[in-house]
Amino acid sequence: MLVNKAVTERTAAEASRLEWLSRRHEEFKRAKRLRNRAVLAVQGSLLVLFFALWEAAARQGWIDRLLFSYPTKVFRQIYANMADGSLWHHLGITLGETATGFVLGTLLGTLLAVAIWWSPFLSAVLDPYMVVFNSMPKVALGPIFIVMFGAGFISIVVTTLSITIIVTTLVVYNSFCGVDPNLVKVVRSFGADKRQVFFKVILPASFPAIVSTLKVNVGMSWVGVIVGEFLVAKSGLGYLIIYGFQVFNFTLVMSSLIIIAFVATAMYQLVVYIEKVLLFRR
C-alpha cells in the first residue's frame, strides 16, 4: 500500500511538473509571437513614416525635387517600367549576375579556407597576399578585369568574386582556427587523422559561421555586381542608375535604388530561411 501510494504521488508530481513546463513553454511562445508582431509593426511604421516624410519634404520644397524626386513619382516610374517590360529585363540580368557571384564566391571562398587550414605552409604563403588583396579598392581592379575578360557578364561576375571570395575565406578560416583545441585533442587521442578531425570536429563546429557568411555575401554580391555594371554594363539595374545620372532622370535613379533595396532584402530573407532550415536539420 505504501509503495503504491509513493508511486502515485511521484506520478502526480511528475505530471504536475510537466504541466507547469508546458504552460511556461506556451507562455514563452506567445510572448515571442507578440514580440515578433511588435517588431514587424514598428518596422512597417518606420518605412511608412520615411516615405511620408520624403513625400512631404518634396511637396513642401524642403528638398530639391529634381535631385531627390518623391515617392509617388518614383512608384509611377517603377509601374511604367514594369508595364513596358523593361524592368524585368534589367532586373533579370542583375539577379543572374548576383546569384552567380554569390554562389561561386561562397563556394570558392570556403574551399580556399579549407585548403589553407589543411596546409599551414600554404596559409603562411598566402596570408600577406590575402590581406593586401582584401585592402585593395575593388573598383580600381574593375578596368583590369574588363581588359582581361571583356565588357560583359564575365567581367562583372569576376568583379563580384574579387569581393566575396576573400571575405568568405577570411571569415571561414578564422572560424576553423577558432574551434576549441580540446575537442581536436580528444578526437586525436582516439587515433583520428587530419581528415577525420576536419569532418568530425572542425567543419561541424564552424557550420554556423559558414552559413552566416551567406548573409554577408548577399550584400557583398550586390556591391560587386552594381560596381561592375557601373563600369561596363549596357543593361541591368546598375546601368539604369548610371543612365539616369547621365540624362538627369533622378526619378529613374531612385526607382532603381528602391528596387535594389527590395530585391536584396528578399534575397537576404531567403538566406535567413535557408540558414534556419540547415541549422535545424543539423
Side-chain angles (χ1 to χ4, degrees):
M1 292 293 293
L2 292 176
V3 173
N4 291 337
K5 183 178 180 181
V7 170
T8 301
E9 290 177 351
R10 190 181 303 112
T11 303
E14 183 68 18
S16 176
R17 187 176 70 86
L18 291 175
E19 183 181 356
W20 180 82
L21 288 174
S22 178
R23 287 199 306 269
R24 294 291 295 175
H25 182 61
E26 289 299 325
E27 290 174 1
F28 171 78
K29 292 197 297 183
R30 189 181 305 110
K32 186 176 181 180
R33 285 195 298 268
L34 291 175
R35 178 181 176 276
N36 290 339
R37 291 172 184 171
V39 169
L40 289 174
V42 173
Q43 289 175 338
S45 300
L46 289 176
L47 186 62
V48 171
L49 179 62
F50 168 76
F51 283 115
L53 289 176
W54 181 10
E55 182 80 21
R59 298 285 185 181
Q60 298 299 320
W62 301 336
I63 60 175
D64 191 331
R65 295 172 61 177
L66 175 63
L67 293 178
F68 299 99
S69 191
Y70 48 95
T72 52
K73 189 175 181 180
V74 168
F75 289 124
R76 284 199 301 268
Q77 177 75 52
I78 294 174
Y79 178 78
N81 291 341
M82 291 174 61
D84 63 22
S86 61
L87 174 61
W88 307 117
H89 169 71
H90 294 288
L91 179 59
I93 289 174
T94 300
L95 275 177
E97 294 164 347
T98 304
T100 303
F102 172 76
V103 173
L104 288 179
T106 303
L107 180 61
L108 295 177
T110 303
L111 292 177
L112 182 57
V114 173
I116 61 178
W117 176 87
W118 202 280
S119 173
F121 178 79
L122 182 63
S123 174
V125 171
L126 295 182
D127 182 67
Y129 293 100
M130 288 193 299
V131 172
V132 170
F133 189 77
N134 186 50
S135 63
M136 293 181 65
K138 304 308 182 290
V139 177
L141 299 176
I144 299 176
F145 296 144
I146 294 171
V147 173
M148 293 175 61
F149 302 104
F153 177 85
I154 295 179
S155 60
I156 293 174
V157 171
V158 172
T159 302
T160 306
L161 293 179
S162 69
I163 299 175
T164 56
I165 287 180
I166 296 300
V167 172
T168 302
T169 301
L170 294 176
V171 172
V172 175
Y173 175 69
N174 288 331
S175 176
F176 288 166
C177 296
V179 175
D180 188 352
N182 292 321
L183 297 176
V184 178
K185 291 178 182 178
V186 170
V187 176
R188 287 193 180 279
S189 68
F190 286 98
D193 56 20
K194 194 164 188 175
R195 177 179 176 277
Q196 291 171 324
V197 168
F198 178 76
F199 285 103
K200 298 295 184 181
V201 178
I202 302 298
L203 187 60
S206 303
F207 192 72
I210 295 173
V211 177
S212 296
T213 306
L214 297 174
K215 298 179 181 179
V216 178
N217 279 349
V218 170
M220 295 295 99
S221 298
W222 277 98
V223 170
V225 167
I226 298 302
V227 167
E229 290 183 345
F230 281 173
L231 295 173
V232 4
K234 297 180 180 179
S235 56
L237 297 177
Y239 164 77
L240 289 181
I241 294 174
I242 291 297
Y243 176 76
F245 275 117
Q246 290 173 344
V247 299
F248 290 93
N249 185 353
F250 294 102
T251 300
L252 179 61
V253 174
M254 299 304 295
S255 65
S256 300
L257 291 174
I258 288 177
I259 293 170
I260 289 173
F262 176 80
V263 178
T265 302
M267 187 175 174
Y268 181 87
Q269 292 301 321
L270 177 61
V271 170
V272 170
Y273 174 75
I274 294 174
E275 177 188 21
K276 291 179 179 178
V277 171
L278 293 177
L279 292 180
F280 176 78
R281 291 182 178 179
R282 185 173 72 108

